[in-house]
Amino acid sequence: MQVDVKQFAEQGYVTVRGMFSAEETASYRRHYMDMRAAGEYPGDFAGVDAGSSDPLKRYPRLIHMHRWDKVSLDWMLHERIGSAFRQLLGKEPLAVQTMLYFKPAGARGQALHQDQYYLRVQPGTCIAAWMALDDCDEENGCLQVVPGSHKLPLLCPVDADTSESFTDVTVPLSADMQPEPVVMKAGDVFFFNGQVIHGSYPNTSTGRFRRALIGHYIDAAADQVARYYHPVMRFDGAIVDLDVAEGGGQCGVWVDEDGVEVLELSGQLG
């Protein structure tokens, strides 16, 4: 399995096609659909409401499944994931989170954001492995990414449109920045830097899911990460003791400088 290291360095992301077979991917789909149907779990903050008109309340995301589900733990620490990271980073990162997004037909998307805003890794940043469990395109709300945005600092968040996004904050783009769709086949895995601006639009299909299995990882040299992401693990399963990263710090704001938008570190993160 070869990974395009050059694209990752230049754009901040890369897709590894067919990393998991159709049979493996179908097995993951069945596993998580069975898990969701069985009841509620730690991390189901909104609860499960099978009769709700909101698709995301009928199928809320799963978070930190690896802490109590072996299938999720084995995927997070999978050799293929580790091999891709060794090519991209020259080393294996530390593992901190798993997530499963169901995103059924009619579900809202997630406003543009940077993962590092939540993880607060120091030093370095986080990185994600985003596996498509269904074919993903613009109709069912595929990922949207801003090329090269991994070179930016954290941007100061602003209010998001919650009729379109299940999260209530977003990051503003300059006039010359435009998100691009990430069209994927089931079994592909998308790797992206924690500074990359990304999100998704609503699922406008009439009957298609856009399920995705996600792992979040942090720089192996990091000595702190936000409290929510402890315990931290190596790829051999060993627990690593890191400090808790607190909030705060500077963030970027777009300002007009002689008719040109420039980024100024004049804001403060909460």
Side-chain angles (χ1 to χ4, degrees):
M1 178 190 67
Q2 293 296 313
V3 181
D4 192 339
V5 177
K6 182 179 179 183
Q7 181 189 338
F8 184 81
E10 293 176 350
Q11 302 293 335
Y13 55 79
V14 67
T15 303
V16 180
R17 305 290 181 187
M19 178 175 277
F20 290 87
S21 70
E23 293 76 16
E24 290 171 315
T25 305
S27 177
Y28 286 125
R29 280 198 303 269
R30 289 192 298 270
H31 177 74
Y32 290 109
M33 291 300 281
D34 289 345
M35 183 182 289
R36 184 73 287 166
E40 297 183 7
Y41 302 89
D44 288 345
F45 302 119
V48 179
D49 183 355
S52 175
S53 60
D54 184 346
L56 294 179
K57 290 186 177 180
R58 298 196 301 271
Y59 289 94
R61 61 182 175 174
L62 294 164
I63 302 179
H64 288 312
M65 307 88 68
H66 67 283
R67 295 180 181 175
W68 39 266
D69 174 54
K70 187 176 186 303
V71 170
S72 301
L73 176 63
D74 289 347
W75 179 84
M76 181 175 72
L77 304 178
H78 201 289
E79 167 56 26
R80 278 172 244 167
I81 302 286
S83 174
F85 278 132
R86 289 192 294 273
Q87 293 178 62
L88 294 172
L89 308 176
K91 56 190 174 183
E92 290 176 349
L94 302 173
V96 296
Q97 187 185 47
T98 48
M99 305 177 73
L100 195 291
Y101 284 104
F102 292 93
K103 200 171 187 179
R108 288 168 292 165
Q110 184 173 11
L112 293 173
H113 63 283
Q114 296 165 293
D115 286 347
Q116 174 68 351
Y117 172 76
Y118 299 100
L119 277 79
R120 306 292 174 94
V121 182
Q122 295 295 335
T125 189
C126 54
I127 184 172
W130 196 103
M131 178 181 172
L133 298 185
D134 299 287
D135 291 352
C136 303
D137 50 46
E138 291 176 272
E139 181 190 55
N140 68 346
C142 65
L143 279 176
Q144 302 277 337
V145 296
V146 178
S149 53
H150 65 302
K151 300 172 184 176
L152 299 175
L154 285 183
L155 303 183
C156 300
V158 297
D159 291 341
D161 180 357
T162 54
S163 69
E164 297 285 314
S165 168
F166 75 87
T167 53
D168 61 2
V169 294
T170 188
V171 292
L173 303 182
S174 64
D176 61 348
M177 298 171 71
Q178 183 67 34
E180 298 181 358
V182 182
V183 177
M184 300 170 65
K185 292 290 188 181
D188 294 349
V189 180
F190 185 69
F191 293 87
F192 60 97
N193 180 287
Q195 307 290 117
V196 166
I197 298 172
H198 67 288
S200 67
Y201 299 129
N203 181 344
T204 60
S205 73
T206 57
R208 299 170 59 201
F209 276 89
R210 193 228 64 182
R211 290 162 288 206
L213 177 57
I214 301 139
H216 282 118
Y217 306 81
I218 66 175
D219 193 306
D223 56 32
Q224 57 183 275
V225 65
R227 183 181 304 278
Y228 187 65
Y229 302 91
H230 293 251
V232 178
M233 302 177 69
R234 294 194 181 96
F235 264 73
D236 62 6
I239 301 298
V240 181
D241 186 22
L242 298 188
D243 292 336
V244 174
E246 303 298 339
Q250 287 189 309
C251 55
V253 177
W254 296 107
V255 298
D256 183 279
E257 190 172 282
D258 299 325
V260 177
E261 284 184 297
V262 297
L263 197 60
E264 183 179 277
L265 284 174
S266 58
Q268 288 290 323
L269 295 168

